[in-house]
Amino acid sequence: MLIVLPPSETKAHGGDSGPLRWDCLSFPSLTPRRRAIAADLARLPVDEALGVLGISERLRPEAELNARLESTPTMPALERYTGVLYDALDAPSLPPQARARLAVGSALFGLLRADDPIPHYRLSASTKLPDAAGAAPTMKARWGTAITEALGEVDGLVVDLRSGGYQQLGRLPGALTVRVESVREDGSRKVVSHFNKHYKGQLARVLALSDAAPADAPGVAEAARAAGMTVEENSPTELTLVV
């Protein structure tokens, strides 16, 4: 089982490891596209990058770091990403066997395993990044079918917890997705938006730590229920986590 998480806009700074080494990243079939995107990102003048990335002057250091992607320190992907989902996941407390079940979708790197060493960067799934020819293709166009093909090489079940924009970069037919819904006072349901990432982080932690090795939706639902979660099976490829 591989649990694919969304990345986060917020990231930890610094790192205890040396600069990025492309040959140290998992899913090596993605590396030619990774390097092309990184080159375009580093080439982008900082003043122009603020608009392209949709960030304010206050975040200028983020754009400046993009220009030094291959020379800044790295840290494991699961520690680089921060925010609500990663707080709930509490990655530093996970043992190696649990971390081995986790991956992250990324606009820059496509897919990363938990311990792939990466630098600080700024790039989102919605960015239209200018290339050397002056065009500004979408990230979906840049990745084409590469992420889908990489996921297709994974043995066992893929639990796709990425947000919609990152799923668009490369969906895997047959992957298991999860909706998060809350119950209103009148008994009706409401899709959770604000705390969606928090609950998905909790679910990812439960699944990563599970002694079972779920191979399908019923198996994932059983592992979640064993941890006290309320889960409904909508179809062989979709669950609802009720909170």
Side-chain angles (χ1 to χ4, degrees):
M1 176 178 60
L2 184 69
I3 306 153
V4 186
L5 306 172
S8 62
E9 293 287 358
T10 57
K11 299 175 182 69
H13 287 270
D16 297 326
S17 299
L20 176 65
R21 288 184 52 190
W22 297 105
D23 61 348
C24 288
L25 301 181
S26 304
F27 307 101
S29 65
L30 301 178
T31 294
R33 292 176 194 254
R34 290 166 171 159
R35 300 193 72 156
I37 294 169
D40 289 337
L41 199 57
R43 184 186 301 117
L44 196 62
V46 172
D47 287 339
E48 183 182 347
L50 297 180
V52 170
L53 300 173
I55 58 177
S56 66
E57 178 66 29
R58 181 177 62 84
L59 293 176
R60 174 177 284 267
E62 304 265 307
E64 293 172 341
L65 282 169
N66 279 351
R68 306 196 305 274
L69 269 174
E70 297 192 52
S71 61
T72 52
T74 60
M75 68 173 65
L78 229 56
E79 276 69 55
R80 177 66 72 188
Y81 297 107
T82 61
V84 174
L85 185 149
Y86 289 90
D87 287 344
L89 179 66
D90 190 15
S93 70
L94 293 175
Q97 62 269 27
R99 294 174 69 95
R101 288 180 166 179
L102 295 166
V104 183
S106 163
L108 174 56
F109 296 106
L111 288 171
L112 296 162
R113 293 277 186 173
D115 291 315
D116 284 354
I118 60 170
H120 191 287
Y121 71 94
R122 183 80 180 212
L123 185 66
S124 69
S126 61
T127 302
K128 293 183 178 180
L129 179 65
D131 59 21
T138 64
M139 298 311 300
K140 180 181 178 181
R142 281 178 172 270
W143 282 108
T145 62
I147 294 174
T148 297
E149 291 168 0
L151 284 171
E153 296 173 1
V154 172
D155 291 331
L157 178 68
V158 172
V159 181
D160 190 352
L161 299 183
R162 294 175 296 171
S163 54
Y166 285 92
Q167 287 181 347
Q168 286 293 324
L169 301 186
R171 294 182 183 274
L172 176 67
L176 181 63
T177 61
V178 179
R179 293 166 54 87
V180 182
E181 295 183 351
S182 61
V183 182
R184 295 188 175 101
E185 289 184 4
D186 63 3
S188 63
R189 295 287 184 84
K190 177 183 178 182
V191 174
V192 174
S193 55
H194 183 65
F195 289 107
N196 181 288
K197 293 178 181 179
H198 171 77
Y199 294 115
K200 284 188 174 179
Q202 288 185 330
L203 177 62
R205 181 177 178 83
V206 163
L207 295 179
L209 289 170
S210 175
D211 291 334
D216 53 21
V220 169
E222 182 179 351
R225 289 169 187 148
M229 293 181 158
T230 300
V231 178
E232 298 173 348
E233 299 170 40
N234 304 332
S235 75
T237 59
E238 185 185 70
L239 299 178
T240 295
L241 176 60
V242 183
V243 298

